Amino acid sequence: MAVEADKGVEKLEDVIVRSAEQVAEQIRAARDAISTVIFGQDRVVENTLVTILSGGHALLIGVPGLAKTKLVETLGLTLGLDAKRVQFTPDLMPSDILGAEVLDESSAGKRSFRFIAGPVFAQLLMADEINRASPRTQSALLQAMQEQHITVAGARHDLPKPFHVLATQNPLEQEGTYPLPEAQLDRFLMEIDVDYPDRDAERRILFETTGAEETLAKAAMSADIVLAAQRLVRRLPVGDSVVEAILSLVRSARPGPESGDAGKLIAWGPGPRASQSLMLAVRARALLDGRLAPSIDDVLDLAEPVLKHRMALTFSARAEGRTISDVIGQLKTRIG
């Protein structure tokens, strides 16, 4: 019986290995397809793909003109997902995102309510400049992002699967904006900084985007393959050393004795959802690289985008010119 059990385990491991190899190949094809349209943003593309493979949402922060909108559009094409876009403005209402019930009258004169679905019923939703909308409208996404369904007029409406929100935010213009509440920030698996491209990438952008023909990405995956990849991510094994690194890093990012010298700099830190996010993200990054298990290097590389929007510094730390990135870097040195 023990031998049969061992064979069963071996067969299960073989299935995971074969699935991982197939999915990794498809993901590499998707990343190559994205690179034909998006230049000089390899780290942004990688972290966004890691977020989607983890089944989460991402907040993209960068100045205008860095292809954030183009990235989301391209992801929809290459991953085979139904993508929609909402431009957030101060007068945007929750019903503009979720949808609303309208009163219909039949030819027989009978009246009834009919639900008209809003743009949230997409597999990939771009919330452009999300901090420009009022808290009332921002909160409309909270239930959708966490529960994968919405409630309108007391009726539940399930969202399509997979469902991901990629929100953008402009770090320059802060007048007339509404900062996202901590509860909503915590729903984003990662905060991804979109920086300027280097000189060679910008040179390529000039030639590729100002010609007579526009380059379009080709489909490399489908929604079913994305869902299969997300299920596979949750089955990848994680070593004890990686688990301990995640726990040590996240717990040291909170005020208390485990944070050491950095404790006096931290006003509040990440909760258990950060540990869950980092656990999924390191598995997804390993799969993206064609590996069957994550390493401590994955934890260190993904620590900042997973943690920095989930913690805040004290007034004295900010007065001294310290930043959250500095503090996370200090905490990472304690691990490796």
Side-chain angles (χ1 to χ4, degrees):
M1 294 295 291
V3 174
E4 292 180 2
D6 289 340
K7 288 182 178 179
V9 171
E10 289 174 1
K11 289 180 181 178
L12 178 60
E13 291 176 350
D14 290 341
V15 169
I16 294 176
V17 170
R18 284 197 302 271
S19 300
E21 290 174 349
Q22 293 173 357
V23 170
E25 184 177 346
Q26 291 164 331
I27 294 171
R28 282 195 296 271
R31 185 160 55 178
D32 291 342
I34 294 171
S35 66
T36 63
V37 179
I38 306 296
F39 316 122
Q41 299 290 358
D42 293 342
R43 188 63 182 268
V44 174
V45 171
E46 177 181 302
N47 284 347
T48 306
L49 285 173
V50 166
T51 300
I52 292 176
L53 290 174
S54 303
H57 315 287
L59 181 62
L60 305 172
I61 297 184
V63 299
L66 295 182
K68 298 187 295 296
T69 304
K70 189 69 173 177
L71 172 62
V72 179
E73 176 187 331
T74 305
L75 281 168
L77 287 173
T78 56
L79 300 182
L81 302 179
D82 175 29
K84 293 181 182 177
R85 176 174 178 259
V86 177
Q87 182 66 49
F88 278 59
T89 58
D91 60 347
L92 193 73
M93 299 297 291
S95 58
D96 296 328
I97 300 173
L98 305 181
E101 288 196 327
V102 297
L103 187 61
D104 273 350
E105 184 173 350
S106 66
S107 56
K110 184 179 179 180
R111 295 181 178 181
S112 61
F113 283 100
R114 177 171 59 91
F115 177 70
I116 299 179
V120 75
F121 287 86
Q123 294 171 323
L124 188 64
L125 176 67
M126 180 178 187
D128 208 357
E129 294 192 281
I130 188 173
N131 59 329
R132 288 198 171 279
S134 67
R136 180 185 178 189
T137 302
Q138 290 176 7
S139 66
L141 277 180
L142 267 176
Q143 183 185 22
M145 291 172 65
Q146 185 63 28
E147 306 296 338
Q148 308 287 304
H149 68 262
I150 65 169
T151 304
V152 176
R156 168 174 168 156
H157 301 275
D158 291 326
L159 297 175
K161 294 184 186 238
F163 173 71
H164 303 281
V165 174
L166 297 182
T168 69
Q169 198 167 295
N170 182 350
L172 301 178
E173 300 178 28
Q174 297 302 323
E175 291 189 12
T177 61
Y178 302 87
L180 298 182
E182 287 74 16
Q184 185 162 355
L185 283 173
D186 196 35
R187 261 66 178 186
F188 289 102
L189 187 136
M190 280 195 205
E191 179 184 306
I192 303 172
D193 289 330
V194 185
D195 296 323
Y196 296 105
D198 59 29
R199 188 180 185 88
D200 291 338
E202 193 159 359
R203 178 188 295 275
R204 187 181 176 191
I205 290 171
L206 291 179
F207 285 103
E208 295 283 349
T209 61
T210 60
E213 296 182 1
E214 180 183 3
T215 303
L216 296 176
K218 297 180 180 179
M221 297 177 69
S222 66
D224 290 337
I225 295 175
V226 172
L227 285 172
Q230 291 174 354
R231 289 192 293 267
L232 181 60
V233 163
R234 291 177 174 269
R235 298 177 67 184
L236 291 184
V238 182
D240 289 340
S241 61
V242 175
V243 175
E244 291 302 319
I246 292 173
L247 288 172
S248 298
L249 185 61
V250 174
R251 293 181 66 83
S252 66
R254 304 167 185 163
E258 293 188 52
S259 56
D261 295 337
K264 61 186 178 187
L265 304 174
I266 303 171
W268 54 269
R273 188 180 281 126
S275 303
Q276 296 170 327
S277 298
L278 194 50
M279 185 80 157
L280 288 170
V282 297
R283 285 168 160 167
R285 188 172 190 257
L287 184 61
L288 190 63
D289 289 344
R291 293 179 280 117
L292 296 178
S295 66
I296 293 179
D297 288 338
D298 294 321
V299 178
L300 297 176
D301 289 342
L302 294 173
E304 186 173 331
V306 171
L307 294 180
K308 64 182 176 181
H309 59 294
R310 293 182 162 103
M311 54 190 298
L313 302 184
T314 61
F315 175 79
S316 59
R318 287 183 277 118
E320 293 172 6
R322 300 297 298 271
T323 65
I324 292 179
S325 296
D326 294 337
V327 174
I328 294 176
Q330 181 179 338
L331 297 173
K332 284 162 61 176
T333 59
R334 301 171 58 186
I335 295 176

